[in-house]
Amino acid sequence: MRILLTNDDGIFAEGLQTLAQEIKKIAETYIAAPDHEQSATGHAITMHRPLRAEKVKYRHSPELAAWSVNGTPADCVKLAVEALLPQKPDLVISGINRGANLGTDVLYSGTVSAAIEGVILGIPAIAVSLAEYHNPQYDYAAAFIAYLAPIFAKQAKKEMLLNVNVPGCPAEQIKGVSINRLGVRHYKNPFEERTDPRGRTYYWLAGEIVDIKEEKDTDVAAIKEDKISITPIQYDLTDYAMLESVRKWRIDLQGGG
Ligand code: MN
């Protein structure tokens, strides 16, 4: 099995390095990741300047082919698959992200977008995040993904994508694995208003998470219960339930009849 690893926290982020050490035990492993942190860049790609891919060596795994790319997470996957790798990978794994990617936050996530890029290119993908920002311990999450990857690769069709979140608690306190839909995430006081040295107002995105809907069977709820959450997701945003009713609106060429 051939696996491409990427992330949005940067090529030397601890989460990616820990994951690489586990994945290299089970697969031919390649890495292409941004040269600096690109969190919350969503699915952006670079069109107006050249991309460069510098070969880098991980100290603990100098044998791994790894590239540092001056682009976004989606750029990294696209470039790796189309230009850098000798052959198409069987699986793309993005992470381990520092911090959760739950509910509506997956739409902003560079980690998830890199995985989506894999699926767009016809490669099944896993996005993996650790729900702990301040004191992340990636070992258990990395081992879990090394266990999950072959199971997924066996079952997966090429358009399949799993969004995995691992709770930040110690491994022995994890309560189980739960397969869920995405929940909803809201933030309270999202912007801090401050004054710059010239007396002008500026705003800084911050805010506290408030999970308004305490719904069961969501990824948000699973992480609160210290369970690993797995959500199969897709990038087709079509609202299939709406298709028929919008057709009934009889929208035609303007002035036509
Ligand atoms: Mn990140």
Side-chain angles (χ1 to χ4, degrees), residues 7-13 34-41 71-73 97-98 133:
N7 73 352
D8 75 357
D9 292 337
I11 181 89
F12 292 114
D35 61 3
H36 68 277
E37 187 180 340
Q38 296 272 359
S39 291
T41 55
T72 65
N97 189 59
R98 180 176 177 176
Y133 189 83

Side-chain angles (χ1 to χ4, degrees), residues 167 169 173-178 180 214-228:
C169 61
Q173 288 168 26
I174 296 177
K175 302 272 184 336
V177 179
S178 171
N180 310 290
E214 290 285 337
E215 287 175 309
K216 285 200 177 322
D217 309 322
T218 66
D219 56 352
V220 174
I223 285 297
K224 274 194 189 155
E225 293 162 7
D226 287 337
K227 289 178 182 159
I228 294 176

Side-chain angles (χ1 to χ4, degrees), residues 189-206:
N189 306 322
F191 288 100
E192 274 204 33
E193 186 180 321
R194 296 184 186 180
T195 307
D196 77 11
R198 316 247 185 286
R200 295 184 310 176
T201 302
Y202 66 96
Y203 301 88
W204 201 313
L205 185 63

Side-chain angles (χ1 to χ4, degrees), residues 57-191:
K57 269 200 173 95
Y58 283 167
R59 243 181 154 174
H60 54 75
S61 311
E63 77 282 11
L64 293 183
W67 291 271
S68 166
V69 178
N70 65 339
T72 65
D75 284 331
C76 291
V77 172
K78 207 183 255 303
L79 187 68
V81 172
E82 306 282 14
L84 302 174
L85 264 52
Q87 278 169 295
K88 200 170 173 174
D90 303 300
L91 203 62
V92 171
I93 305 177
S94 179
I96 303 167
N97 189 59
R98 180 176 177 176
N101 275 305
L102 299 167
T104 32
D105 281 350
V106 305
L107 293 168
Y108 304 102
S109 167
T111 306
V112 175
S113 292
I116 290 174
E117 188 60 35
V119 172
I120 291 172
L121 296 168
I123 306 157
I126 299 173
V128 52
S129 306
L130 184 71
E132 168 60 40
Y133 189 83
H134 296 289
N135 184 27
Q137 304 288 331
Y138 296 104
D139 295 337
Y140 182 79
F144 179 77
I145 295 300
Y147 150 78
L148 176 66
I151 298 174
F152 178 59
K154 220 174 177 183
Q155 304 286 343
K157 299 197 183 82
K158 57 186 184 200
E159 68 277 7
M160 281 188 181
L161 202 173
L162 297 182
N163 187 42
V164 179
N165 280 271
V166 177
C169 61
E172 59 277 11
Q173 288 168 26
I174 296 177
K175 302 272 184 336
V177 179
S178 171
I179 316 296
N180 310 290
R181 63 195 170 89
L182 296 179
V184 179
R185 283 227 128 162
H186 285 284
Y187 292 85
K188 170 169 87 177
N189 306 322
F191 288 100

